[in-house]
Amino acid sequence: MRRRLPRPSEILPLIGTVDRSRTRIERRLERCSSVWDVRAMARGRAPRAVFDYVDGAAMSETSLRRSRDAYRRVEFTPRVMRNVADVALGIDVLGQPNDLPFVFAPTGFTRMMHSAGEAAVARVAAEKGIAYGLSTLGTTSIADLAAASPQTRRWFQLYVSRDRAQPEEWMREADAHGFDTLILTVDTAVGGIRRREVRNGLTIPPQLRLSTMAEMALHPRWWFDVLTTEPLSFASLSSTGGTVGDLLTRVFDPGVTGEDITWIRQNWSGCVMLKGIQSLDDARLAADLGVDAIVLSNHGGRQGDMGNVPLELLPEVVASVGGRTEIYIDGGIMSGTDVVAALAFGAQGVLVGRAYLYGLMAGGEAGVRRVADILEKEVRTTMQLIGARSVDDVRRVEVRLRGA
Ligand SMILES: Cc1cc2nc3c(=O)[nH]c(=O)nc-3n(C[C@H](O)[C@H](O)[C@H](O)COP(=O)(O)O)c2cc1C
């Protein structure tokens, strides 16, 4: 075969040029092809104690691992030749359209991951047409979040303090600022034992050991970001001391029961979602209590360890109470295929927690946007490749868990 020297005009188009209109971070995010890639980027950018606060779970972290592993066991029976040129990703969530089949879950202490914090998450939620839940342990106040992103469909996640005057005040404020749904988290009778936080000295305020400080010195950008913006504190709570788990135990009421739903209905006129249901019996109880929605959730494995795997529990809960309350699920969602799997097993929609926090740590608002883009693309592609034109179609797809 005769060889020849390539002409410059043939080589030059093959060499990528740097798009100067985007920041270096945005270009790095662009090269992340999965939420796992974004997680790896976050690990490099955030101090270990911060990354571990997000990435970690309770005790042996088995619940989190099992939740993620369950999605690896999903097996669809794809259908072909279904004309999937146009695919509708939207769902109805508590009487309103949600443009994608997932929402952003409430997460505490969000500005620790990046100063852009809850406001950035809410803005991306608005861009994507999805809801976002602000946590009681948020680092942005109810009023500030509403001001930062008035277009976002806003929910407020409630932990019930021992002193009931406080949650009543939060409910009034959330209502006054246009939050339409209250998420009552019920898997938090006491704080879970999160070993990484103890080991890293991640208490509030931080009790940093020398080794932790040294590790943190490797992340000057994070320090600069934190030290040159509004000081990091809970927006609705003044109590500090111990880990976040210790705080949950000290401040919030382990005496919450189903009867508190009556008290909530007296103080809150919007929708009520019970988050943290982990058994068929409690799902039935929740439906009997007349809540508008439940979330099958073990708090991303951050509370109890060794509990039921939400995805495995989902089909029997849907069969039992599906007509009486809306059923959502969370825990371990790291890809759009995971989202589609949850829908195929009967979930109305999915809550996503860590995934967007990895984005926030990796690149602030641009990182959250990148994660939302990745999930959206993966949801769409998965739907097209299993032959589903809508989320209703997804629910008719044949699906099973291998080894179940
Ligand atoms: C760092 C972090 C903080 C969280 N804080 C709260 C919270 O304040 N209130 C709450 O109801 N759930 C909280 N969650 C749980 C999430 O709402 C959600 O249930 C969980 O993240 C879902 O699992 P995933 O992270 O695997 O998506 C938190 C989760 C993480 C990762």
Side-chain angles (χ1 to χ4, degrees):
M1 194 197 306
R2 278 191 57 210
R3 302 263 173 206
R4 67 178 177 92
L5 273 177
R7 298 186 191 94
S9 63
E10 289 166 340
I11 293 180
L12 282 174
L14 304 178
I15 302 172
T17 49
V18 175
D19 177 358
R20 298 275 166 214
S21 68
R22 280 178 302 164
T23 63
R24 204 172 54 83
I25 300 288
E26 284 167 343
R27 292 197 300 270
R28 271 192 70 190
L29 285 166
E30 196 74 10
R31 289 197 296 275
C32 292
S33 75
S34 67
V35 174
W36 288 101
D37 287 354
V38 177
R39 174 181 177 274
M41 183 172 163
R43 181 175 232 159
R45 289 183 65 83
R48 174 155 189 185
V50 174
F51 178 81
D52 276 353
Y53 171 67
V54 172
D55 196 59
M59 302 294 283
S60 65
E61 304 193 353
T62 303
S63 271
L64 172 61
R65 249 189 325 274
R66 284 184 185 155
S67 292
R68 285 180 173 164
D69 288 350
Y71 286 99
R72 307 282 73 72
R73 288 167 43 221
V74 168
E75 196 169 75
F76 300 107
T77 299
R79 297 299 306 271
V80 294
M81 296 188 293
R82 288 280 179 101
N83 184 5
V84 287
D86 289 315
V87 173
L89 273 50
I91 53 172
D92 270 349
V93 173
L94 294 167
Q96 289 186 38
N98 199 77
D99 293 348
L100 298 172
F102 58 86
V103 303
F104 286 154
T107 55
F109 227 53
T110 312
R111 276 201 306 114
M112 180 169 72
M113 290 37 132
H114 189 283
S115 64
E118 288 90 351
V121 183
R123 281 192 291 266
V124 174
E127 280 168 29
K128 292 286 177 189
I130 65 175
Y132 167 48
L134 175 69
S135 164
T136 296
L137 298 182
T139 43
T140 302
S141 71
I142 290 170
D144 287 349
L145 188 82
S149 190
Q151 307 306 327
T152 312
R153 182 178 186 189
R154 296 178 299 279
W155 296 349
F156 183 70
Q157 177 268 320
L158 184 72
Y159 286 130
V160 178
S161 347
R162 290 165 194 266
D163 165 15
R164 296 292 159 105
Q166 220 177 19
E168 288 176 10
E169 174 58 30
W170 295 331
M171 285 189 266
R172 267 195 299 278
E173 227 190 310
D175 182 45
H177 287 91
F179 288 58
D180 69 62
T181 296
L182 191 81
I183 308 170
L184 178 66
T185 299
V186 288
D187 55 18
T188 316
V190 296
I193 299 170
R194 303 183 199 145
R195 291 175 178 160
R196 296 200 216 183
E197 284 164 40
V198 178
R199 282 185 203 125
N200 292 329
L202 190 80
T203 51
I204 297 169
Q207 303 272 303
L208 299 178
R209 303 185 215 333
L210 255 181
S211 56
T212 319
M213 296 274 277
E215 203 278 332
M216 282 189 152
L218 298 174
H219 302 276
R221 272 180 309 227
W222 182 88
W223 280 107
F224 178 79
D225 179 46
V226 159
L227 294 175
T228 57
T229 50
E230 196 58 24
L232 193 56
S233 64
F234 292 117
S236 301
L237 285 183
S238 49
S239 179
T240 58
T243 62
V244 173
D246 296 337
L247 180 97
L248 286 166
T249 304
R250 199 173 53 249
V251 177
F252 300 113
D253 186 357
V256 171
T257 67
E259 284 166 29
D260 287 290
I261 300 297
T262 311
W263 162 73
I264 283 182
R265 291 287 192 198
Q266 285 159 359
N267 288 279
W268 177 259
S269 57
C271 296
V272 175
M273 178 182 254
L274 274 194
K275 173 171 173 286
I277 299 293
Q278 297 162 74
S279 69
L280 180 58
D281 283 346
D282 281 343
R284 286 192 183 123
L285 175 69
D288 291 345
L289 290 167
V291 296
D292 304 285
I294 59 174
V295 188
L296 301 186
S297 167
N298 56 29
H299 215 106
R302 299 167 72 81
Q303 283 295 108
D305 204 5
M306 311 296 190
N308 284 324
V309 174
L311 187 67
E312 292 175 353
L313 185 63
L314 179 62
E316 53 179 332
V317 170
V318 171
S320 173
V321 300
R324 296 203 287 147
T325 187
E326 292 186 8
I327 299 162
Y328 296 84
I329 187 170
D330 76 12
I333 300 276
M334 290 290 281
S335 79
T337 310
D338 299 347
V339 174
V340 175
L343 301 170
F345 278 104
Q348 176 77 15
V350 165
L351 277 65
V352 169
R354 287 184 184 82
Y356 78 74
L357 290 178
Y358 293 135
L360 193 61
M361 285 190 285
E365 188 165 333
V368 179
R369 186 173 298 111
R370 181 70 187 133
V371 165
D373 286 344
I374 289 172
L375 291 177
E376 178 178 359
K377 184 173 180 193
E378 290 175 345
V379 168
R380 174 175 289 106
T381 307
T382 304
M383 285 174 63
Q384 288 172 308
L385 293 177
I386 60 173
R389 282 184 293 259
S390 66
V391 172
D392 280 342
D393 279 357
V394 171
R395 298 204 181 95
R396 287 189 283 267
V397 164
E398 214 183 297
V399 66
R400 71 200 74 80
L401 280 183
R402 288 176 73 89

